[in-house]
Amino acid sequence: MRIGVDYYPEHWGRERWEQDARLMLKAKIKVIRVGEFAWSLYEPKEEVYEFAWMDEIIDFFGKKGIKIILCTPSATPPKWMIDKYPGILAEDIHGNTKLFGTRKHYCFNSEIYREKIRKLVGLIAKRYGKNPYVEGWQIDNELGHGNTARCYCEECRKKFIDWLAKKYKTIECLNKSYGTVFWSQIYNSFDEVIIPKAGTCFDFDSGTQGQNPSLLIDYYRFCSDSIISFTKESVDIIKKYSDKPCTSNLLDAAVNSGTGIDYFKLSKELDFVSWDNYIEFQWGKAKMETVSRDHALLRSYKKKPFWVMEQQSGPCGWSKMGPSPDPGKLRLWTYEAVANGADTVVYFRWRACTFGAEQNWHGILGHDGKENRRYAEIMRTGEEMELLSLRVGSLMPKARAAIIKSFDTEWCHTIFQNVEGFQYDNLLLSFYKPFYDMNIPVDFVQAEDELSEYSLVLAPALAFVSEEAKNNLESYAAKGGTLVITFRSAFKDEYNRMLPQTIPGPLAELTGVKVNDYDPQFEKSTSVAGIFGSGTADIWCDIVTPEDAEVLGLYTESYFAGTPCLTRKGTVYYLACDLDDKARSNFTKYLCNQAGIETRLYEQEGIEVVDTTDGKNHVKFILNHNNYNTVIAVNEEYTDFLTDQKVVNTIKLEAYGVAVLGKHLR
């Protein structure tokens, strides 16, 4: 476990590097990420390549004992390239061409762009692939950020047609699968197929798209596949010259809903995953459970430790700033990442830049480059992490509960939102929060994954269930696994069409219920009561008839009062509605009890407790997210690895304080 920093030596004079390296080493910074926006330095003119500047950077910092994560610079193609090859620019959903002047303005399917980056990546990898100071590689930067995953240019349309032809074989098959008889959309050949730009029915403000939903979800899949293919190309080139691991910095779930990449599929092409973690910035403040959920997602993509490649280190924003993190928060956020599966935390950025679009995005150091309270806090953290890494290896929570996450389902619910207020990732977060509040770790899985290690699996609003997923869920339940299926599940097919079956379609036998009708909760709510106590449904109500399932909850008002809102068949629950926070929390406690998952001693507001292991040692992190001192009960005797003090019965933590408790030292 260690810390690093994102560094831009090209932004500062050569004479400053010595001071920066000295301060980094003093703070126990072990690695720097460089080069993600440097294409115009590598290739200032077409086919004119310059590497001496990067040679000097790698050699200078490497000899100081600081390792390098070297990035491919594809996020910012240079101006000369745009001028000569304007076709590499992406088009938005309205057909407007993106312009030079910011970043990520390229089309992932542009053959010219891909050929240019293939050549440059090959030259970089060949030059630095065996360099002992280069520890790993980052592909691009924040793939899909800023609504750039989906381009609507003519080159994308041509490649989409090839993608469709490979998938459907004949245009007759596509027409049947899409239901193009609706609105006279029948195609006579693949060449006629459009890409789903904004049409006459498009209304961005109300979320109305109006295009064929089968076409839309296929286009979303195609765009995701295009980015994954692009990433794989760079990885494959690097692997010809280097045996060092490759990653790409992913984004959190809230942003990812607009990023449009299937991270489970993308992660297969990477040696490890990393992500960018901004908690309090211009665009808002993340809730504690949201950050925890995002860490859980990252460790779930490959079921192994991950990196935070950009960790907030100061007040940040573009046109305006978010708050300056209170003293203690940078250290707290670092340990929160480590507790949840990160073995390297890299801060963004080393020093606030004095020019460009991110002048307001502060780093560890301010614009003056001098030591400050943030640097002192990072230095303390680096020293602690260095000592901690001598005692234990990379730590991961061991989860017995899992939530199914499906990108196909996410896109399905994005295309048709179901009802105002329904948002898939927010729904998953609402199911995650009670576990977070009880300090019970949760993994995210796909419905087709091996589930036997989990005592409890929740499948919120799993719109599309493949035959493989159906069989897997049935097998899991048959072996005694506790499974929760919710409203808006198993009502669509893989083409984003409604199933001509009574909901929950392929899961009807498993759940023992049928959904006769439903009531979207548009500008209303419905009261419910059951084993979870009393509460309200504010988004959706399925009106259910139990076939061979017992009733555990009822609607208590509306025309369907007295009908079930929660049933159970064996160990399989069907939750027919959403629940308010209190009822959902009670239901989660009930489920944990039924699944044999122990609820914790540490249910104290603002206190996050994470039990972890490196395979040999068990380590308990206690994190105080409150702005006041507090005392937490502990039920065993520990050693605090950060202070070497014995901990018995209770531990006192300062505001934003951290304790790392272990059983013994190695």
Side-chain angles (χ1 to χ4, degrees):
M1 290 167 286
R2 63 195 179 153
I3 61 172
V5 72
D6 300 304
Y7 186 51
Y8 299 87
E10 68 271 23
H11 291 174
W12 312 102
R14 175 66 173 75
E15 67 280 0
R16 172 71 196 197
W17 295 1
E18 187 70 43
Q19 184 177 357
D20 284 340
R22 177 181 59 80
L23 291 174
M24 289 177 191
L25 292 169
K26 182 180 174 183
K28 307 301 182 183
I29 286 171
K30 305 293 188 181
V31 61
I32 59 174
R33 184 195 68 174
V34 299
E36 74 268 30
F37 299 128
W39 195 331
S40 59
L41 294 179
Y42 281 119
E43 191 179 6
K45 297 179 181 179
E46 188 170 21
E47 302 291 331
V48 176
Y49 298 100
E50 296 182 1
F51 297 100
W53 65 279
M54 183 57 79
D55 294 346
E56 189 176 15
I57 290 169
I58 293 174
D59 188 64
F60 178 86
F61 287 93
K63 286 180 177 177
K64 297 287 186 182
I66 298 172
K67 293 292 188 179
I68 307 292
I69 293 294
L70 191 56
C71 303
T72 63
S74 48
T76 50
K79 183 61 163 58
W80 63 259
M81 187 179 298
I82 304 301
D83 291 343
K84 186 170 183 180
Y85 307 104
I88 74 170
L89 292 170
E91 291 184 15
D92 68 18
I93 196 169
H94 300 282
N96 300 314
T97 302
K98 295 184 184 293
L99 302 176
F100 180 86
T102 56
R103 62 182 188 181
K104 307 198 75 68
H105 38 285
Y106 51 89
C107 169
F108 285 101
N109 284 310
S110 165
E111 275 302 323
I112 293 174
Y113 167 72
R114 281 207 177 193
E115 178 54 36
K116 290 292 184 183
I117 195 60
R118 279 194 296 264
K119 183 168 184 179
L120 181 54
V121 169
L123 291 171
I124 294 172
K126 186 175 182 180
R127 192 176 189 94
Y128 304 115
K130 302 298 183 184
N131 191 300
Y133 304 136
V134 173
E135 182 182 282
W137 303 83
Q138 176 185 298
I139 308 302
D140 201 90
N141 185 76
E142 296 182 339
L143 292 160
H145 176 265
N147 198 28
T148 58
R150 296 169 191 154
C151 173
Y152 297 84
C153 72
E154 181 60 20
E155 192 153 5
C156 282
R157 190 187 77 86
K158 291 176 180 176
K159 291 194 174 180
F160 181 48
I161 287 171
D162 293 340
W163 187 91
L164 292 172
K166 184 177 180 180
K167 178 175 181 177
Y168 292 100
K169 310 302 182 187
T170 68
I171 196 62
E172 290 78 16
C173 180
L174 181 143
N175 282 321
K176 182 178 180 181
S177 300
Y178 281 15
T180 54
V181 67
F182 186 84
W183 281 358
S184 191
Q185 293 176 349
I186 296 171
Y187 298 109
N188 293 312
S189 70
F190 283 110
D191 288 338
E192 290 183 358
V193 179
I194 66 167
I195 53 175
K197 293 184 179 181
T200 57
C201 297
F202 183 87
D203 182 354
F204 182 79
D205 291 333
S206 69
T208 301
Q209 167 57 262
Q211 293 281 13
N212 185 302
S214 302
L215 176 72
L216 280 166
I217 200 165
D218 262 354
Y219 197 68
Y220 292 178
R221 291 164 176 155
F222 160 75
C223 291
S224 175
D225 286 353
S226 297
I227 292 176
I228 293 168
S229 166
F230 165 83
T231 304
K232 186 177 186 303
E233 277 189 349
S234 288
V235 170
D236 289 346
I237 292 168
I238 289 169
K239 293 296 186 182
K240 292 179 181 178
Y241 304 102
S242 176
D243 59 0
K244 302 299 173 57
C246 294
T247 189
S248 187
N249 51 336
L250 311 185
L251 296 165
D252 61 272
V255 173
N256 183 50
S257 293
T259 301
I261 307 169
D262 185 330
Y263 278 167
F264 281 111
K265 290 179 68 175
L266 175 63
S267 298
K268 292 178 181 178
E269 306 302 332
L270 305 172
D271 296 301
F272 67 97
V273 294
S274 60
W275 79 295
D276 296 350
N277 184 23
Y278 294 103
I279 300 165
E280 300 178 353
F281 62 174
Q282 172 182 350
W283 299 278
K285 291 184 177 182
K287 296 179 180 179
M288 293 184 297
E289 66 267 20
T290 303
V291 179
S292 174
R293 182 273 317 269
D294 292 341
H295 285 311
L297 278 165
L298 265 290
R299 71 168 178 262
S300 297
Y301 290 135
K302 291 188 77 71
K303 294 289 191 293
K304 60 190 291 189
F306 60 92
W307 288 26
V308 181
M309 193 62 83
E310 295 184 17
Q311 174 71 50
Q312 181 177 351
S313 63
C316 49
W318 283 5
S319 58
K320 48 196 171 186
M321 285 176 271
S324 184
D326 292 353
K329 280 190 173 181
L330 302 183
R331 177 174 175 262
L332 172 68
W333 293 340
T334 302
Y335 281 108
E336 181 183 26
V338 172
N340 283 284
D343 60 12
T344 301
V345 177
V346 181
Y347 299 99
F348 186 90
R349 60 175 67 218
W350 173 243
R351 178 181 176 183
C353 196
T354 59
F355 48 82
E358 291 185 343
Q359 296 176 38
N360 282 335
W361 208 291
H362 287 66
I364 298 173
L365 305 184
H367 296 97
D368 61 4
K370 296 180 179 179
E371 295 184 41
N372 54 30
R373 72 164 177 88
R374 296 194 301 273
Y375 175 80
E377 188 173 326
I378 297 300
M379 183 169 66
R380 175 189 177 186
T381 306
E383 291 170 347
E384 291 174 342
M385 292 273 280
E386 185 171 71
L387 291 174
L388 186 60
S389 67
L390 297 176
R391 292 174 164 172
V392 295
S394 296
L395 298 164
M396 288 272 283
K398 177 61 177 175
R400 292 183 58 201
I403 296 174
I404 291 176
K405 159 91 178 183
S406 161
F407 286 90
D408 267 354
T409 285
E410 178 180 302
W411 299 332
C412 170
H413 289 314
T414 302
I415 293 165
F416 285 151
Q417 194 182 358
N418 297 292
V419 66
E420 191 68 31
F422 185 105
Q423 209 275 347
Y424 179 66
D425 271 328
N426 286 344
L427 182 67
L428 266 58
L429 179 60
S430 74
F431 279 94
Y432 181 85
K433 185 178 186 300
F435 293 99
Y436 173 81
D437 291 340
M438 293 187 289
N439 294 301
I440 296 173
V442 175
D443 286 345
F444 286 86
V445 295
Q446 300 178 96
E448 297 82 7
D449 288 347
E450 174 58 52
L451 303 174
S452 60
E453 65 184 282
Y454 303 105
S455 302
L456 172 61
V457 174
L458 296 88
L462 188 62
F464 162 59
V465 179
S466 67
E467 185 68 18
E468 181 184 357
K470 170 182 175 292
N471 294 337
N472 194 44
L473 295 176
E474 289 175 345
S475 174
Y476 172 74
K479 295 174 183 175
T482 301
L483 176 66
V484 180
I485 306 294
T486 81
F487 59 97
R488 294 284 81 188
S489 290
F491 69 101
K492 286 282 186 106
D493 68 12
E494 64 179 296
Y495 307 109
N496 204 14
R497 304 177 308 189
M498 294 289 188
L499 288 172
Q501 303 172 32
T502 302
I503 298 172
L507 300 181
E509 183 177 348
L510 179 64
T511 59
V513 301
K514 63 179 181 180
V515 178
N516 304 308
D517 199 358
Y518 37 74
D519 186 18
Q521 300 295 282
F522 181 64
E523 297 183 357
K524 64 176 180 177
S525 62
T526 299
S527 61
V528 295
I531 54 96
F532 45 77
S534 60
T536 59
D538 302 311
I539 297 175
W540 192 272
C541 296
D542 277 347
I543 303 169
V544 168
T545 297
E547 298 282 272
D548 55 350
E550 60 179 312
V551 176
L552 301 180
L554 298 167
Y555 297 109
T556 58
E557 65 175 337
S558 194
Y559 66 91
F560 44 91
T563 63
C565 68
L566 176 64
T567 65
R568 177 175 61 196
K569 178 184 176 182
T571 59
V572 179
Y573 295 78
Y574 188 84
L575 179 61
C577 63
D578 63 294
L579 297 171
D580 61 47
D581 289 347
K582 183 177 179 181
R584 193 185 317 108
S585 177
N586 289 340
F587 180 44
T588 306
K589 291 175 182 177
Y590 176 87
L591 289 169
C592 288
N593 180 265
Q594 294 295 301
I597 298 175
E598 181 183 0
T599 53
R600 305 297 179 85
L601 177 66
Y602 315 99
E603 291 184 40
Q604 187 174 332
E605 186 174 354
I607 301 299
E608 181 178 0
V609 180
V610 187
D611 286 319
T612 68
T613 180
D614 62 1
K616 295 181 180 179
N617 302 285
H618 294 278
V619 178
K620 183 187 298 291
F621 288 79
I622 303 182
L623 311 164
N624 182 13
H625 292 274
N626 298 301
N627 62 354
Y628 51 80
N629 297 355
T630 189
V631 179
I632 300 102
V634 295
N635 56 1
E636 296 180 67
E637 182 176 311
Y638 296 96
T639 298
D640 188 337
F641 283 173
L642 301 183
T643 65
D644 273 337
Q645 299 297 309
K646 291 288 185 183
V647 175
V648 183
N649 297 325
T650 62
I651 185 168
K652 181 179 179 181
L653 287 183
E654 62 189 359
Y656 309 122
V658 175
V660 182
L661 307 182
K663 287 291 187 184
H664 61 83
L665 306 181
R666 285 201 299 181

